[in-house]
Amino acid sequence: MPVNASADAASPTADADDAATLPINEVFYSLQGEGTLAGVPSVFVRTSGCNLRCWFCDSYHTSWEPTHGAMTLDDIVADIESHGEADHVVLTGGEPLIHEQSVALLERLDGLGYHTTVETNGTIYRDAPIDLASISPKLASSTPTPEKDPKGDGEWAERHEERRIDIDALADLVDTYDSQLKFVVTGEDDLPEIEDLLERVRNAAATTVADSDVLLMPEGTTREQLDGSRNRVADLAIEYGYRYTPRLHVDLWNDAPGT
Ligand SMILES: C[S@@+](CC[C@H](N)C(=O)[O-])C[C@H]1O[C@@H](n2cnc3c(N)ncnc32)[C@H](O)[C@@H]1O
Ligand SMILES: Nc1nc2[nH]cc(C(=O)O)c2c(=O)[nH]1
Ligand code: SF4
Ligand SMILES: [Mg+2]
């Protein structure tokens, strides 16, 4: 139950949204594993479907092979409320902001007093009650080239490359919401692109983007993979003056489902 929840806090639009649904891959209760809120108990709502295809996507069944059931917003909210200790909700995916109904869900959660984080690739702006926009812009190293494609022979590479950066959407997100920019780092070659992208976002945005809101996160979906990547990324954070974020859930539970 959120700390400031009250019995009459339901959104005034709740009736209109009764029939609204979202494609949901999973809902689970865990610790936020990434970013400035790492360690905070949170309910995760994972929508299905994505406009990008990162070769390394750790949520394969929301992007490369989307699987889901349609859940009504009422059922999603009831599932969240069943985790009575939680007052933080993380809306993720897939890409949650491709779905118009994500806004209605965030409005319901805001009305109920939850703190909301949205994990987004930063290619789409929507106006919604978001307490933390956790933006993870995708670098060239994410592109599913024929050699890296986990499913086909690079059929998605061109579309991914065209879509992965939208400076206006990034600027609108950082101007509107408290935000963090969380980059998946595969090696030191990613850093010049991060610096260039930050300069473009800083030029386009009215808000100051502090280096302390720029996070470097090691690529890896298992403990073994992170054993080979986390120290190099930590060294890069020290060298460039950005923040390091662990993947706490992977360190704690490896790649177990529902964590
Ligand atoms: C599955 S994505 C869903 C949200 C949104 N589509 C995005 O990419 O930000 C959730 C987070 O996991 C990160 N991620 C995905 N695969 C990863 C991997 N193999 N290693 C490290 N981080 C990864 C993404 O960059 C993002 O920050
Ligand atoms: N524990 C945990 N923390 C997370 N933070 C962001 C996640 C995501 O997949 O968006 C995630 C996740 O999948 N699990
Ligand atoms: S943008 Fe996010 S969900 Fe989509 S493929 Fe990349 S990591 Fe996966
Ligand atoms: Mg994850």
Side-chain angles (χ1 to χ4, degrees):
M1 175 75 85
V3 279
N4 57 343
S6 68
D8 60 354
S11 154
T13 59
D15 286 347
D17 289 336
D18 269 355
T21 65
L22 275 167
I24 297 295
N25 175 266
E26 57 179 351
V27 179
F28 61 94
Y29 181 42
S30 183
L31 299 181
Q32 171 58 281
E34 305 169 9
T36 51
L37 292 177
V40 176
S42 306
V43 181
F44 290 80
V45 178
R46 191 180 303 285
T47 58
S48 195
C50 189
N51 56 341
L52 300 183
R53 292 292 186 278
C54 306
W55 67 265
F56 53 61
C57 182
D58 66 2
S59 302
Y60 185 87
H61 286 286
T62 67
S63 52
W64 290 96
E65 288 192 30
T67 58
H68 53 261
M71 277 180 83
T72 65
L73 301 192
D74 283 348
D75 285 347
I76 298 168
V77 170
D79 200 331
I80 292 166
E81 288 182 317
S82 74
H83 303 286
E85 300 302 320
D87 59 9
H88 282 60
V89 175
V90 180
L91 180 62
T92 184
E95 176 46 56
L97 296 184
I98 66 173
H99 306 294
E100 196 182 340
Q101 291 300 344
S102 287
V103 175
L105 177 62
L106 289 161
E107 284 170 350
R108 297 269 290 260
L109 296 175
D110 182 53
L112 290 165
Y114 286 97
H115 179 285
T116 59
T117 296
V118 174
E119 301 284 349
T120 176
N121 61 30
T123 60
I124 297 163
Y125 173 82
R126 286 191 190 271
D127 183 10
I130 296 171
D131 293 306
L132 177 63
S134 176
I135 309 163
S136 184
K138 292 303 178 290
L139 303 173
S141 59
S142 68
T143 299
T145 55
E147 311 77 56
K148 289 179 172 167
D149 189 320
K151 193 181 178 196
D153 295 310
E155 291 88 344
W156 261 89
E158 203 178 317
R159 236 184 310 175
H160 179 94
E161 198 50 43
E162 278 167 17
R163 291 177 176 178
R164 65 184 173 81
I165 298 295
D166 183 326
I167 295 291
D168 291 338
L170 290 169
D172 284 346
L173 287 165
V174 303
D175 278 342
T176 309
Y177 304 115
D178 284 348
S179 64
Q180 59 189 16
L181 290 166
K182 185 174 55 150
F183 293 96
V184 176
V185 176
T186 60
E188 65 181 327
D189 290 351
D190 290 335
L191 269 294
E193 189 183 350
I194 292 172
E195 300 245 272
D196 177 65
L197 181 61
L198 280 172
E199 192 184 333
R200 291 163 67 202
V201 174
R202 283 170 169 152
N203 285 337
T207 312
T208 307
V209 178
D211 280 359
S212 55
D213 291 327
V214 178
L215 293 85
L216 306 187
M217 178 162 72
E219 192 278 321
T221 57
T222 65
R223 267 184 210 135
E224 292 66 30
Q225 286 171 354
L226 290 180
D227 285 346
S229 62
R230 65 165 81 77
N231 279 72
R232 276 186 300 130
V233 175
D235 288 343
L236 289 167
I238 292 169
E239 184 181 337
Y240 284 81
Y242 300 131
R243 188 162 169 165
Y244 171 84
T245 174
R247 290 181 44 82
L248 189 59
H249 51 311
V250 182
D251 293 337
L252 288 169
W253 301 298
N254 203 5
D255 52 359
T259 61

